[in-house]
Amino acid sequence: MPERTDEDLISPSTPDADLAAALGPTVVAALRRSVRSDAQLWVETLFPILLPAIRMAVASALREMLATLNQILDQSLSVKRWQWRFEAWRTRKTFGEIVLLRTLVFRVEQLLLLDRHTGLLLASVAGADITPKNTDLVSAMLTALQDFVGHSFGVDSGAAIRELYVGEFCLLVEPGPRAALAAAVRGNAPAEVRETLRAAVDLIHQEFGAELRDFKGDAKPFERSRPILEGCLQAQYHRPDKASKTKLWVVAAALLVAVAVWAGLRLVRAWHWDRALAALGNTPGIAITRSGRSNGRYFLEGLRDPLAASAESRLSNEGIDPRQVSIRFRPFLSLDPELVVKRAKTVLAAPDSVSVTVDGDILRLRGAAPHVWVLRARSADHEMALAGVRQIQMTDLIDTDLEALRSVIESAQILFPTNSSTAVPEQARVVALAAGRAREWIDAAQTIGRTPSLYVTAYTDPTGSEARNVNLRHERAAYVANLLAGRGIDRKYLSLREGKPADLTADAVHSRRVTILTHLDQGR
Amino acid sequence: MTQKKICLLGTFAVGKSSLAQRFVESIFSDRYRTTVGVRIHRKAVALNGDTLNLIIWDLAGEDEFVVLRTEYLRGSAGYLLVADGTRRDTLDKTIDLHRRARTALGDVPFILAVNKTDRADDWAIDESALEELSQQGWSIIRTSAKSGQGVDEAFTRIARKVSLG
């Protein structure tokens, strides 16, 4: 038969792949039988292969857990956590690492198994996130230190350093007859850790007695001790108690309330501000051109008529402290009717008996005022023009002085004898008084732009014929008109009128009279 | 990787630490700093395709104040005796150290390094003394930590000797 090699037997490309297929079930059955009969053999055989893979898987899982923990912790609120967050930034570690460090009770980070005779390192393990450095030198130095201390203080050669403290680390050394186990522990390890180390040392001496006895520098046999050492990599962390969780919720709630209050206050303040702006906008004589908030302070800019209400008072009315607002107004003349009236009252010094209103660009004066004021008001056109008033209208304004004169004039009665158109001489005084007042009245009316008229009206008693009474009335009116003209009244102001015939019940003496009625046109 | 502990023995200021530093770190300093207690170095040496991890214990030099602590010798696979070629008395003291080391360790490999060969003008050890030691079976190498002469050879030789043990 041709010579075959192992490669030929297992290669699928060769005709002997059939042989491999044939042997397969037998080999599998043999393996199964072997495992059932001596499982420990398979454990010891596969352990060196599986253990590294398991460690890698655990390390990977721990890294994922750390990343998740980091993410969760990032979302939590706590003063302490903010301190840890700062420490993480400062030390360039992840937040999760800092949290684990600060909540740590203890953690066995590294383990060294060393030969007590030579000080050489037999095996070492470390936590998943720990990078051990120079473990063989550490092992040697530890032995040298042991020798130094023992010699310096006369300690029995069998005795060993049990504990060393450096910063937050404690080095626990558990010596055995031939090997010692040194554990680097961060934090405060309980007594149970020492017991664990003791048990591990005992087990190692039990399992590796021959290897320890025959050790001449080759540490390979002690690779199998790694599971024992890894069993000593313990850790314990503080659990956040319920009280601290409650405190956390209280703090979170307080923060939430504070934020809500702050937001609420801001909303209320903004509402007040909007109302104040609206009130200012509706204030006659104030025009807001710009408003807002800058550097934490409200500001207002615009135009304000000097006669307008103060912006400060408006703000105060709406609950805004004017001292908290930056106000910049430029002066202007407002054509707002309210302010035009206000300005007119000021300019004209209108008495209370005069009402001032504005209708477009016409200023209307109503009521009653002395003649002097009426004259002044008439001449205020130019002054009021600046305020947007084109015309001052006073047709409904009563000149009280003119009224007084009118009253005197119209109350005068010139009496006549029966069937006569000549008044008795005593009536001359009445005519003189009436004429005097009439002259004043005419002059005053003209100064205020009104056109005066005097109606000389004659009356007769009911006696005599109507034809004769008509003549008498005409003659009497003419008589009084002549007297008035003789006393300086221009005839153009005089009109002759016949009064209504008197009825029989009227007083006969006063029925034969002449009165003077006044009339003024509307003017402006 | 196999590990072996070897010690550097010698009286004070013969250059033990300088030899270790030259071998491990390839550096030399003229500045003298006495070793207190022990300094430990590590260096991997390639031997016949294998790697031997030498843990080198540089022990404090012996003088009238400091005595060799034989505890440090415990477990050594070999040792390197160092003498100063410019001081004749260091060779005699080295011989005494060898005797004490032998008592503590037994028949383990050793090498004598006669150091400071760069100071030829100050050389004080005659060849006849070294020849006599050679005939007694001593392995002797002339070294200079300053120039590096013989340093690697000395450590490699002791490494080879201990690896055979």
Side-chain angles (χ1 to χ4, degrees), chain A residues 201-265:
Chain A
V201 164
D202 290 344
L203 184 59
I204 286 169
H205 279 81
Q206 184 184 325
E207 297 285 323
F208 299 91
E211 289 87 345
L212 287 169
R213 216 171 27 245
D214 301 334
F215 176 67
K216 292 228 184 323
D218 184 7
K220 204 174 288 186
F222 299 93
E223 284 287 314
R224 295 187 294 111
S225 70
R226 292 176 67 86
I228 302 171
L229 301 182
E230 283 165 354
C232 300
L233 290 173
Q234 301 171 347
Q236 185 179 333
Y237 297 90
H238 288 297
R239 289 183 189 281
D241 54 21
K242 284 187 181 174
S244 69
K245 279 189 182 172
T246 304
K247 209 188 297 183
L248 186 66
W249 280 113
V250 166
V251 168
L255 272 174
L256 207 60
V257 166
V259 168
V261 166
W262 173 80
L265 284 173

Side-chain angles (χ1 to χ4, degrees), chain A residues 275-276 279-280 283-284 286 300 304 307-323 325 327 329 342:
Chain A
R275 279 177 58 93
L280 279 169
T283 301
I286 291 182
L300 281 175
R304 179 175 170 271
L307 293 183
S310 78
E312 288 79 357
S313 61
R314 279 283 189 265
L315 291 172
S316 294
N317 289 343
E318 296 302 328
I320 302 282
D321 183 356
R323 293 171 299 181
V325 182
I327 301 173
F329 281 128
K342 202 170 178 180

Side-chain angles (χ1 to χ4, degrees), chain A residues 405 409 431-446 452 454 483-490 493:
Chain A
L405 287 169
I409 295 167
V431 173
L433 179 63
R437 294 295 179 269
R439 280 200 305 277
E440 287 178 44
W441 180 81
I442 288 169
D443 290 341
Q446 286 177 329
L454 293 169
L483 285 178
L484 288 175
R487 288 199 175 272
I489 304 296
D490 194 324
Y493 299 116

Side-chain angles (χ1 to χ4, degrees), chain A residues 116-118 120-122 134 136-137 140-141 143-144 147-148 151-152 215-219, chain B residues 1-5 36-42 53 55 57 69 71-72 74-76 165:
Chain A
R116 291 188 70 189
H117 184 62
T118 61
L120 294 175
L121 183 71
L122 299 175
N134 302 323
D136 45 7
L137 289 179
M141 280 308 303
T143 307
D147 294 339
F148 179 82
H151 183 269
S152 299
F215 176 67
K216 292 228 184 323
D218 184 7
Chain B
M1 188 192 300
T2 303
Q3 306 167 82
K4 294 288 183 183
K5 171 184 174 181
V36 178
V38 59
R39 278 197 210 128
I40 300 179
H41 306 268
R42 175 194 61 215
N53 203 21
I55 307 295
W57 288 47
R69 296 191 174 181
E71 298 85 6
Y72 291 153
R74 189 183 68 246
S76 296

Side-chain angles (χ1 to χ4, degrees), chain A residues 242-516:
Chain A
K242 284 187 181 174
S244 69
K245 279 189 182 172
T246 304
K247 209 188 297 183
L248 186 66
W249 280 113
V250 166
V251 168
L255 272 174
L256 207 60
V257 166
V259 168
V261 166
W262 173 80
L265 284 173
R266 276 190 72 101
L267 274 172
V268 167
R269 189 173 167 79
W271 179 77
H272 278 294
W273 175 250
D274 288 343
R275 279 177 58 93
L277 276 184
L280 279 169
N282 292 331
T283 301
I286 291 182
I288 305 294
T289 56
R290 213 164 139 253
S291 66
R293 195 174 169 85
S294 174
N295 295 328
R297 197 176 155 84
Y298 285 115
F299 69 90
L300 281 175
E301 290 178 7
L303 306 170
R304 179 175 170 271
D305 187 302
L307 293 183
S310 78
E312 288 79 357
S313 61
R314 279 283 189 265
L315 291 172
S316 294
N317 289 343
E318 296 302 328
I320 302 282
D321 183 356
R323 293 171 299 181
Q324 305 293 327
V325 182
S326 171
I327 301 173
R328 281 179 51 190
F329 281 128
R330 301 179 74 172
F332 84 119
L333 275 180
S334 170
L335 296 184
D336 191 282
E338 187 178 316
L339 289 182
V340 172
V341 167
K342 202 170 178 180
R343 182 161 281 112
K345 283 185 178 178
T346 305
V347 169
L348 299 176
D352 294 340
S353 55
V354 175
S355 77
V356 181
T357 58
V358 165
D359 182 9
D361 57 2
I362 299 175
L363 187 73
R364 295 188 194 280
L365 303 177
R366 294 186 178 90
H371 181 72
V372 158
W373 186 87
V374 175
L375 270 178
R376 187 173 172 285
R378 277 179 58 82
S379 64
D381 288 38
H382 296 296
E383 288 171 78
M384 292 309 302
L386 281 174
V389 174
R390 182 176 59 83
Q391 182 187 21
I392 299 176
Q393 204 172 72
M394 295 183 288
T395 51
D396 296 321
L397 182 67
I398 297 172
D399 188 325
T400 53
D401 293 323
L402 275 179
E403 272 300 298
L405 287 169
R406 185 189 65 78
S407 176
V408 171
I409 295 167
E410 291 187 355
S411 67
Q413 290 184 347
I414 300 103
L415 301 176
F416 288 85
T418 303
N419 200 27
S420 174
S421 60
T422 304
V424 297
E426 293 81 24
Q427 296 296 304
R429 186 177 52 80
V430 176
V431 173
L433 179 63
R437 294 295 179 269
R439 280 200 305 277
E440 287 178 44
W441 180 81
I442 288 169
D443 290 341
Q446 286 177 329
T447 58
I448 61 171
R450 307 289 288 272
T451 305
S453 297
L454 293 169
Y455 299 138
V456 182
T457 308
Y459 297 86
T460 56
D461 62 23
T463 63
S465 67
E466 183 56 28
R468 174 62 185 146
N469 285 336
V470 167
N471 286 334
L472 267 176
R473 286 199 286 270
H474 182 74
E475 289 168 3
R476 285 173 180 168
Y479 173 77
V480 171
N482 288 337
L483 285 178
L484 288 175
R487 288 199 175 272
I489 304 296
D490 194 324
R491 286 188 182 274
K492 67 179 179 183
Y493 299 116
L494 300 171
S495 297
L496 303 181
R497 297 280 171 89
E498 288 185 41
K500 276 173 50 181
D503 59 33
L504 290 172
T505 61
D507 173 16
V509 172
H510 288 88
S511 298
R512 299 185 296 273
R513 68 183 189 280
V514 169
T515 61
I516 305 168

Side-chain angles (χ1 to χ4, degrees), chain B residues 60-109:
Chain B
E62 203 175 60
D63 57 21
E64 59 269 33
F65 303 110
V66 177
V67 178
L68 172 68
R69 296 191 174 181
T70 51
E71 298 85 6
Y72 291 153
L73 296 175
R74 189 183 68 246
S76 296
Y79 53 91
L80 199 64
L81 293 164
V82 184
D84 182 353
T86 65
R87 290 187 286 153
R88 179 65 177 84
D89 62 319
T90 63
L91 182 63
D92 300 327
K93 288 175 183 171
T94 300
I95 295 169
D96 178 57
L97 281 170
H98 164 67
R99 180 181 51 77
R100 282 189 273 154
R102 202 133 186 107
T103 304
L105 293 173
D107 190 16
V108 297

